[in-house]
Amino acid sequence: RVSVSKAASLAMAESRKEEFQKYLEKSGVIDTLTKVLVNLYECPEKPQNAINFIKESMGPPAPGGDVEKLQAQVKEQQIQLEAKDKEIKSLKKRLAELAEEQKKAE
């Protein structure tokens, strides 16, 4: 006999499992892994290191890590660029003022 809390716990675990499976399907992970494993299965001569075969079949990792991290870096650099642009504009204005003062002094 299963208690109500155990039944609820099992139902919650099953739900989480289904959500994760949908996530993997939606993101293309299952398709990609299936293709790689089929390629491994169809190899006439099995590689000595299956893990390396899978890694090589999957391709190189994305440069720089995940997309969110890269987006954050881009945003930060845009802010820095805007600050530098303002500083350059201010310095050019000050340079022009100093050049004008020098002309008047001559």
Side-chain angles (χ1 to χ4, degrees), residues 62-76:
D66 65 341
V67 173
E68 291 176 4
K69 183 179 176 183
L70 292 173
Q71 288 174 337
Q73 285 178 337
V74 167
K75 187 171 186 171
E76 181 182 327

Side-chain angles (χ1 to χ4, degrees), residues 12-47:
M12 185 180 285
E14 188 66 27
S15 173
R16 288 178 51 202
K17 179 182 169 184
E18 288 174 6
E19 285 180 33
F20 186 66
Q21 186 173 358
K22 287 178 185 175
Y23 162 74
L24 292 175
E25 288 173 359
K26 189 183 268 188
S27 62
V29 171
I30 291 177
D31 287 339
T32 301
L33 287 175
T34 301
K35 289 176 186 175
V36 169
L37 292 173
V38 166
N39 287 340
L40 178 59
Y41 175 78
E42 292 176 347
C43 278
E45 292 184 30
K46 303 295 182 234

Side-chain angles (χ1 to χ4, degrees), residues 20 77 97:
F20 186 66
Q77 289 175 345
E97 290 170 356

Side-chain angles (χ1 to χ4, degrees), residues 41-93:
Y41 175 78
E42 292 176 347
C43 278
E45 292 184 30
K46 303 295 182 234
Q48 288 196 358
N49 190 330
I51 297 293
N52 283 344
F53 177 87
I54 292 170
K55 286 179 182 178
E56 290 170 7
S57 298
M58 300 284 291
D66 65 341
V67 173
E68 291 176 4
K69 183 179 176 183
L70 292 173
Q71 288 174 337
Q73 285 178 337
V74 167
K75 187 171 186 171
E76 181 182 327
Q77 289 175 345
Q78 286 174 331
I79 291 169
Q80 291 174 354
L81 180 61
E82 289 173 11
K84 299 290 183 190
D85 285 344
K86 286 180 184 178
E87 182 181 9
I88 289 170
K89 185 176 179 180
S90 172
L91 290 171
K92 283 182 176 181
K93 181 179 177 185

